[in-house]
Amino acid sequence: MYKRNKYKVKSNKKIAKNVYEMILEGDTTYIVRPGQFINIEIDEFYLRRPISVCDYDSETITVIYKVVGNGTEKMSTLKEGEILDILTGLGNGFSEKASGERPLLIGGGVGTPPMYNLCKKLIEQGKKPIVVLGFGAIDEVFYEDKFKKLGAQVLISTVDGSYGTKGFVTDIIKQLKDYTYYYACGPKNMLKAVYDIAVGDGELSFEEKMGCGFGACMGCTCKTKNGDKRLCKHGPVLKKEEIIW
Amino acid sequence: MVDTNNEKTYDLSVNLGDFKLDNPVIPASGTFGFGYEFEDYYDLNILGSISLKGTTKDARFGNPTPRIAECKKGLINSIGLQNPGIDAVIEKEIPRLRYSYKKKVIANISGFSIEEYKECCEKIDKVEEVAIIELNISCPNVHNGGMAFGTSPEAAKEVTKVAKEVTTKPVYVKLTPNVTNIVEIAKACEEGGADGICLINTLLGMRIDLKTKKPTIANKMGGFSGPAIFPVALRMVYQVYEAVNIPIIGVGGIETADDVIEMMLAGATAVEVGAANLKNPYACKEIIDDLPIKMKKYGIENLKNIIGMAHQ
Ligand SMILES: Cc1cc2nc3c(=O)[nH]c(=O)nc-3n(C[C@H](O)[C@H](O)[C@H](O)COP(=O)(O)OP(=O)(O)OC[C@H]3O[C@@H](n4cnc5c(N)ncnc54)[C@H](O)[C@@H]3O)c2cc1C
Ligand SMILES: Cc1cc2nc3c(=O)[nH]c(=O)nc-3n(C[C@H](O)[C@H](O)[C@H](O)COP(=O)(O)O)c2cc1C
Ligand code: FES
């Protein structure tokens, strides 16, 4: 279930090149699973902006977003204390149950945020996640320490080799063997590459341009082996076996 | 509603022919799914009625994505009539909506040939929950069909006639604004036996992404709607009101109770709210809650009395 509510910006700060972390205060009761998203109204923009929940507790929601256009640029100028109109509790989210003992969590760029709350939940359940994060260069890397503090093993790749393994997340994943299941979120070409080389079952989180974010407009439909799905409602997370590329 | 301060009652009810609505506010086709997508937000029974997603004979996936482009004061969509097909709508979607909505609905029917319109109307004719058939001859997002029927008076008249032959339910024809003479199309529908006119559907538009330097939506063009189109919709409702003697449902850019009143002054008996639902899922509820307050402000006791008042 999803609801509209007002949220107060508690903080909004730059954490890497063009990447911001924003903490929002307000009702979080409709967020029930990692991998869900919220839809944020920004002044002067007609459509809301969908952003994944990075973490949440009983009073706050943390999101991490990259400035890619005018909407996110405006978002980056929001000041502490400003009030935002937001829909929360959107999307299906990841299923923690399927994880097994040693799940692999894969995040590409701003596909990393939803992995954080997932990682936290899995560790709380006594699982031993391996987190693989891919970025362009060293100045884009964020949340490495936060994942480590949760107790996860963290491996990082950068395209230019300025930090961690040179190349893509798949260059790291190729070397890994003993993972039980995988979760991935990132750009579509990364998801496809992961899908092609990762072994065993997994689930992947997709993006699409959205009109509403809650299943009313059919703007975000994709074909799956289980029929047509609206990514905002029956996604953004799809099981590996149902994906049609 | 009773105003306790000065004992005045405000009558929001309107009649689309024999179909009595508690208020004139109806979510527009395509922006409210099959209704139940909104049941978590508020009690749907406060709505005047609901216009269901455009339905075709066969199930349709619709157009490739991206299907949505943001605009200043609106959006462009190229959904392409994604729907599960008339049989599934009758067997699954309408019964599903029944759990949360007890009033009658408006079925929005689309086709690619006269035969398809006919078959869908025949089938929907038997569905008790449907009060009105809205014949969508105005979808800009499908090739050879949809809007083609809505841009020629002869074709519009013909498809209206065929629908009327196979159903006893009132038929409202939904018109496209993408024509030079809206009045002549509306008149042709009336001659074909239409019980009412619904207008407008979306305006053909497009956006180009500055980063990729390519059209934003996969289909290149799509239907533009939202508050930016309100003056166009209002003008067309005004023109059609002067030319026909059947009720009009006014659609296009409505976001507030003020907009509803303005549209009714132009000649609309009821209104449909589209894009506003996508931006704010409570849009229809907020409009309905605000209507009596605005009626008081503008000295209106009975909404029925203001229909077409701007023409007097
Ligand atoms: C379920 C979901 C979760 C997301 N989570 C995150 C996240 O945690 N962090 C993050 O940085 N980004 C995330 N995104 C992408 C984010 O929504 C876009 O980057 C953002 O909408 C861009 O807005 P803009 O105005 O800056 O860009 P513009 O390009 O100017 O936006 C124009 C329009 O296109 C839409 N749009 C542009 N890019 C995307 C995109 N990639 N996905 C969907 N719509 C887009 C915008 O919403 C807007 O309607 C997510 C997207 C989805 C669908
Ligand atoms: C996402 C979307 C889907 C739509 N689908 C349909 C449809 O299936 N059938 C139809 O008759 N009109 C459809 N429309 C048009 C609306 O019903 C309405 O006529 C139009 O959007 C103008 O109203 P608005 O400005 O309030 O949105 C759609 C509009 C949008 C935005
Ligand atoms: S964005 Fe409207 S249905 Fe998914």
Side-chain angles (χ1 to χ4, degrees), chain A residues 209-220 230-233, chain B residues 278:
Chain A
K209 294 216 168 156
M210 294 184 172
C212 64
F214 50 87
C217 74
M218 322 273 168
C220 62
R230 278 161 279 170
L231 278 175
C232 68
K233 188 175 174 171
Chain B
L278 307 180

Side-chain angles (χ1 to χ4, degrees), chain A residues 49-50 52 64-66 68-69 71-72 110 207-209, chain B residues 211:
Chain A
R49 296 295 185 272
S52 303
I64 293 175
Y65 60 91
K66 184 172 180 179
V68 297
T72 43
V110 278
E207 282 182 359
E208 189 50 81
K209 294 216 168 156
Chain B
K211 282 169 275 181

